[in-house]
């Protein structure tokens, strides 16, 4: 008799458990209604005045890919991009003066900051470009102007591109390259 009761309970519990699992999966997989990059960080809250101390200035270039070619130049594969701005210093703050995003043809897409922002010691700040935001194309670029206290490490810039389709996944990363002195900022 206990065995019959157990089987009946499983017939009721199993569909309920499956239904709850599906509901949780659907809720966790919502997409953005627009193709715009979603703010992972509030840049206005990070705005700061540049200290009067002696600072070293630099600029870094970072390549990113919203799309890559697949099979031919007529077929592309869309990617989500995560851009990381990292302060590798354990004691010094890094100051970022500009974060500019350009498309494949070199046209400016977005300016992420309007005034200098800080990145605290050992902190990482991220920018996410949604998979359906194709403005950067197959050769998007970021350009960063930055300041660090004399003797400190420069910030480290990296991008991770990823996409999944069915049971297949694709991911790769790029690293920033120093490009000399920064552009003039007021």
């Amino acid at each position: 008799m206990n065995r019959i009761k157990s089987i009946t309970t499983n017939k009721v519990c199993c569909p309920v458990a499956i239904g709850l699992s599906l509901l949780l999966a659907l809720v966790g997989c919502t997409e953005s209604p627009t193709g715009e990059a979603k703010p992972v960080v509030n840049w206005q809250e990070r705005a700061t005045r540049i200290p009067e101390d002696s600072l070293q200035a630099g600029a870094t270039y970072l390549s990113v890919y919203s799309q890559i070619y697949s099979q031919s130049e007529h077929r592309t594969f869309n990617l989500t991009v995560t851009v990381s701005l990292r302060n590798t210093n354990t004691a010094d703050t890094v100051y970022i003066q500009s974060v500019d995003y350009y498309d494949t043809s070199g046209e400016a897409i977005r300016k992420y900051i309007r005034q200098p922002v800080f990145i605290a010691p050992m902190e990482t700040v991220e920018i996410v470009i949604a998979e359906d935001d194709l403005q950067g194309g197959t050769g998007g670029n970021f350009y960063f102007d930055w300041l660090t206290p004399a003797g400190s490490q420069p910030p480290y810039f990296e991008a991770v591109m990823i996409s999944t389709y069915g049971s297949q996944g694709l991911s790769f990363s790029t690293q920033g390259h120093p490009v000399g002195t920064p552009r003039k900022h007021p």
Side-chain angles (χ1 to χ4, degrees), residues 114-135:
R114 302 281 180 217
Q115 55 192 5
V117 297
F118 71 93
I119 302 177
M122 297 304 294
E123 182 178 26
T124 300
V125 176
E126 297 174 327
I127 296 168
V128 176
I129 300 171
E131 187 172 330
D132 59 350
D133 180 349
L134 307 179
Q135 291 179 307

Side-chain angles (χ1 to χ4, degrees), residues 8 16 38 41 52 59 72 79 89-90 109 119-120 128 141 171 178:
T8 306
V16 171
K38 298 299 170 230
V41 62
E52 299 295 324
S72 77
L79 303 166
N89 295 288
T90 58
I109 298 172
I119 302 177
V128 176
N141 314 285
S171 66

